[in-house]
Structures are given as C-alpha cells and as structure tokens.
Amino acid sequence: MSETTPPVQRASSPTPDVTGSDDIAALAKGGRTNTLGFVIRALGGIPFLFLGYRLYGVEDMGRFASAFVIVEIVALICALGEKRGLAQRLTDGADEEGTSAVNLVFDGMLASMLVSAAICSVLLLFPEVMFPNGTNSDLDIWMIAAIPAFALTEILLAAQAYRYDIATTVRARAIVEPWTRSIAAVAFFYIAAISEAGLAMAFLASIYAALATALWSFLRTYGLPKGWRPRPRYLARMTSRSLPLVGADVIERGTRLLDVFLLGLFTSSAAVGIYFFAQQIASLPQKLKTSFEPILSPVITKNLKTGNYGAIAAQVRQVGFWIIALQGGIALALGIPGEAVMGLGGPAIVGGTGALALLLAAEVVASMAVVSESVLVYIARKRNLAISIGVIALQGALTIGLIKACEALGLDEGFKAAGAALALVLALATSSLVKAMVLKTLLKAPVSNWRWALVHAAAPAVVVGFAFTLLPEWIELVVGIPAILATYGFVVWKRGFDEDDKVLFRRNVTPKGDGETA
C-alpha cells in the first residue's frame, strides 16, 4: 500500500475554516470530560498501586508488571489499530450506500478475535515470554484471557468516540476498570485460596468489567448488526491496511513498556517492581494525552476528507499546548516531592526517586510526538512507522547499554531503574523533534506546542515545591502538591493561555450543531 499524502484542496470547495473553531470546541468538550475521567482514574488506580506494594510486596508486583506489559502490548496488536483506524473506516463507509456503521465495527471485532485466538495460543505454549522472572501463582496464566477483552474494549470505545461519546471511555477506563482492580486486589488478598494470585485475578476482573461497560453503551448507541456476515476478503484487506496503525500504536505504547520488559530480562524482579511503581506514578500525566485522543481522531479524519490542513495544524498546536501545559504542572507536583511520593509504596522503593523524576520529564518531552503522530498515522503511515521503529530501537539500545553500565560500576537497582528512565527521555525527545518536523513539512504550517510561558510558570512552582521539601513528608504531600499545582496553574493561566486556550475550561462553549452530551 502506498503512503497516503495530503490531497490538494479543490478550488470549487468553500473556503475552509482554518481556525477550526467548531472542532476546537469539540476537542475542548471531549478533553474536559476525559480530563475529569483522568482525575477519577488516578483516584482509583493509586490505591491499587499503594495497597499492592504494601500487601503483596515489591517482588510480587515486579512479576505482575512483567506479565502486565506483555498483555497490554499484545492486546494493542489484537486491536488492529482500530483505536484510530476505526474513525477513518466509519468516515469512509458513510459514503458507501448500504454500509452500516455497526457492521463495520463488528468486522473489526471479528478480525480482532481471530488474531487474539492465534496469539493467545502461542502465549499458552510459551508462557515464559510473559513471566521471565516466574509467576506468583499457577493461576497467573489466566492473565492471557485479558488480551481479547482489552482489544475489544479498545474497538468499542473507539466506536463511541466517533459519535463524540467520551463519557463511556471515562466510565470504562477511569471508573470501572481502576476501581474494580483496586477493590479486587484487596479482597482477593484475604481469600486464602487465591491470595497468591490476587494481583492477576484483580487485573482480569477489571479488564472484563471495563469490557461490559463499553459493550452496554455500544449496544445502546449502535444496536445489534443487521444482515452482517463475515467477509473474508474485506477482513484481509482491513487487516493489511491496519498494519502501519498497529505498528504505530504498539510502538507508541511500547516505548513506555519496553523498559519494564528489558529490566525483567536483565535485572531482578525487585528492580522491575521499583521501576513499575515509578512508572505508574509518572503515567498519570501521560494519561492526559488520552483525554484528547478519542475525540482527536474523528475531528482529524473529517478535516482530512475536506483538505482543511490549516485547521489540522491549528488543532495540533492547540491540543499540543493543552497537553504539555497540564503535563508540566503534574510532573512538577509529583517530581519535586518525589521521595515522599515513592515512600508511599514502602521504604524498599524510595531508591526509585531518580527514575520517577526522569519518567515525569519523559512524558513532558513526549507530548509533541504524541499529537504529531495523531495526524501522521493518517497522512504518512509508513514514514511514521519507520520513525517509531527507529525510536524504539534507539530506546532499547540505550536501555541495555545503561543497565550494563550500572552493573559494571556496581550500582544498585535504583540506578538501573534510573538508567532505563534516562533512555526513555532521550528516545522520546528524539521522536518529538523528528515527528514534528515531518508533520510541519506535510501540512506546510507550524505545529509546535512550545511556549515560553511554560518556563515562566515552572520557575515559581519549583521554588514553592522545594520550600515544602523542608517540611515533614505528610505536609509535603497534603499541602505541598496542591501548592505547586496552584502556583503553576495561576502563572500559566495568566501568561500562557489566550482566549482560544481558555475554551478548554468553558463548559458553555460547544461546537455548532452539537446537541449531544458528553
């Protein structure tokens, strides 16, 4: 398949709205809903993290983490890129007479199930791929059953996002999944028969609970298919066309999981456990990216169809700034009191504070790559995939090299974790630079999300944060984190946000003709 290139705007078409004001309003509305979901998800996910380490221990969490990363990566492969590709299939299918949206979604679900069955069979034959440091219990192998459920949930949520229904994503991913996992992890710990497998069983329960939530909303929105039947040739074409998207999704997520996998291969389960705790804390700002991703795909595909590339560039700049501004504040709030934050998981993992700081920095530098890729996957799939492959190869080489260097120097597990985090920072910074340059060339418009107001906001926040590190840890956490966020937020609002940016926080601004609720 040849790489897609932006078509030329037809002269007879109406002058495009290069500002994309209606689309920005739609993005802001979806982002507001999902950002609230991010907060709820954090509140549900953090108890799992803290209680998991306190109840099950660092090594058990390390073995769980090694299996978790394989499940998530394989599930993204099985989703066949539908997280973003479904929006384009539904947009294109709308022009085909007799094409049913629900039938197109079921095509994707069938293809996903077939791929899931094949890959799960391989993992059952070679379980050591998932458990390089062994298992906590014989029941851990059931984690493989989460793969098809995870993949189907991605497809169903993408279908809902196409209808601008972001609330379902919030319910499934931000409420049902994390809270089920947190509650189940505690409950299973006290059930003697499955106590050792509590982490795996809690994970499995949370994934299927999220699937049930997504399926319920999907059936209410789309209903059951009518006249649908498997179309082998169409499924083969769809799967082939999805490969660049699959590669982009897997590599984008893989950059956040490769380090855990390599630590599992080259170090101990304790090192993996330390790193996984830091990574999960650092993933909080990273999840803000997903606040806009579900609504960004349908907006971009519709503008691509009309050739409105000025609007796409404006959306990339706007959303990119929203993401980096929000991520920057959270990174400072969690990074400055890093020792106190890591200490919540127990004294054994405080040595991962350096890794936490680097991982938080990595999420900030990655923001430009994430937003650029949301467009490149449609207009330069193969080029984007080639860049992503190069980036993850760079990360892998740097991670192994830095781990080996720490071993040669006789450094402890905390330094090995920091080495893996540093490799991620360098790789993601390279990705952001290269992908932004490629996108700028294709759209013939600036796409950078950087503004100097971010530095102006960070400076006083750093001063306030370090002042709180001189106080007892509980004050540092309970008062210091909100103080850092408030200082940063006040300055970035005054110095960085213009009127277009502030639409993100105005609930009464909606795109024209949008009568749907989020």
Side-chain angles (χ1 to χ4, degrees), residues 414-434:
F415 280 96
K416 293 176 184 177
L422 178 58
L424 181 63
V425 173
L426 297 174
L428 291 179
T430 301
S431 178
S432 284
L433 179 63
V434 174

Side-chain angles (χ1 to χ4, degrees), residues 218-234:
F218 172 79
L219 292 176
R220 291 182 64 187
T221 302
Y222 289 84
L224 292 170
K226 295 179 180 178
W228 176 80
R229 57 184 176 81
R231 297 178 289 168
R233 290 184 180 178
Y234 176 79

Side-chain angles (χ1 to χ4, degrees), residues 4 9 25 51 74 83 90 116 188 201 221 243 307 367 389:
T4 307
Q9 178 88 18
L51 292 171
V74 171
K83 187 173 182 178
L90 290 174
S116 296
F188 291 148
M201 294 297 100
T221 302
L243 292 179
S367 61
I389 291 172

Side-chain angles (χ1 to χ4, degrees), residues 341-500:
V341 171
M342 293 294 289
L344 292 173
I349 61 174
V350 174
T353 302
L356 173 63
L358 288 168
L359 288 169
L360 288 166
E363 296 304 340
V364 176
V365 301
S367 61
M368 190 67 245
V370 166
V371 183
S372 297
E373 185 173 90
S374 65
V375 183
L376 291 175
V377 292
Y378 297 115
I379 65 175
R381 294 185 179 198
K382 292 183 179 179
R383 223 176 310 180
N384 178 71
L385 181 58
I387 295 168
S388 297
I389 291 172
V391 167
I392 202 167
L394 172 65
Q395 182 196 356
L398 288 172
T399 301
I400 295 172
L402 290 170
I403 290 173
K404 292 298 183 182
C406 289
E407 289 180 351
L409 295 171
L411 300 177
D412 63 18
E413 307 290 29
F415 280 96
K416 293 176 184 177
L422 178 58
L424 181 63
V425 173
L426 297 174
L428 291 179
T430 301
S431 178
S432 284
L433 179 63
V434 174
K435 290 189 177 184
M437 291 174 62
V438 171
L439 184 61
K440 178 182 178 181
T441 301
L442 291 174
L443 296 182
K444 296 180 174 60
V447 296
S448 175
N449 64 345
W450 174 256
R451 299 182 194 176
W452 283 104
L454 297 171
V455 176
H456 301 155
V462 169
V463 173
V464 170
F466 276 108
F468 275 96
T469 62
L470 304 176
L471 301 174
E473 283 192 355
W474 71 269
I475 297 178
E476 189 179 352
L477 293 171
V478 175
V479 183
I481 289 178
I484 295 169
L485 285 172
T487 304
Y488 175 89
F490 176 78
V491 178
V492 82
W493 177 267
K494 291 293 186 181
R495 300 290 299 271
F497 275 68
D498 56 28
E499 289 304 311
D500 287 337

Side-chain angles (χ1 to χ4, degrees), residues 125-216:
L125 292 174
F126 303 100
E128 58 272 13
V129 174
M130 285 183 61
F131 305 102
N133 290 313
T135 61
N136 297 323
S137 163
D138 291 341
L139 294 175
D140 284 6
I141 195 67
W142 280 96
M143 286 181 70
I144 293 175
I147 291 172
F150 192 107
L152 290 177
T153 304
E154 290 290 287
I155 296 172
L156 294 171
L157 294 179
Q160 292 300 108
Y162 185 76
R163 297 286 180 89
Y164 290 171
D165 172 16
I166 307 304
T168 296
T169 299
V170 172
R171 282 193 294 270
R173 293 293 193 213
I175 300 175
V176 174
E177 183 181 316
W179 281 104
T180 299
R181 190 175 306 172
S182 296
I183 294 170
V186 175
F188 291 148
F189 180 78
Y190 291 103
I191 300 176
I194 59 173
S195 178
E196 292 182 348
L199 293 170
M201 294 297 100
F203 173 69
L204 195 61
S206 69
I207 295 299
Y208 275 88
L211 172 61
T213 303
L215 183 61
W216 173 261

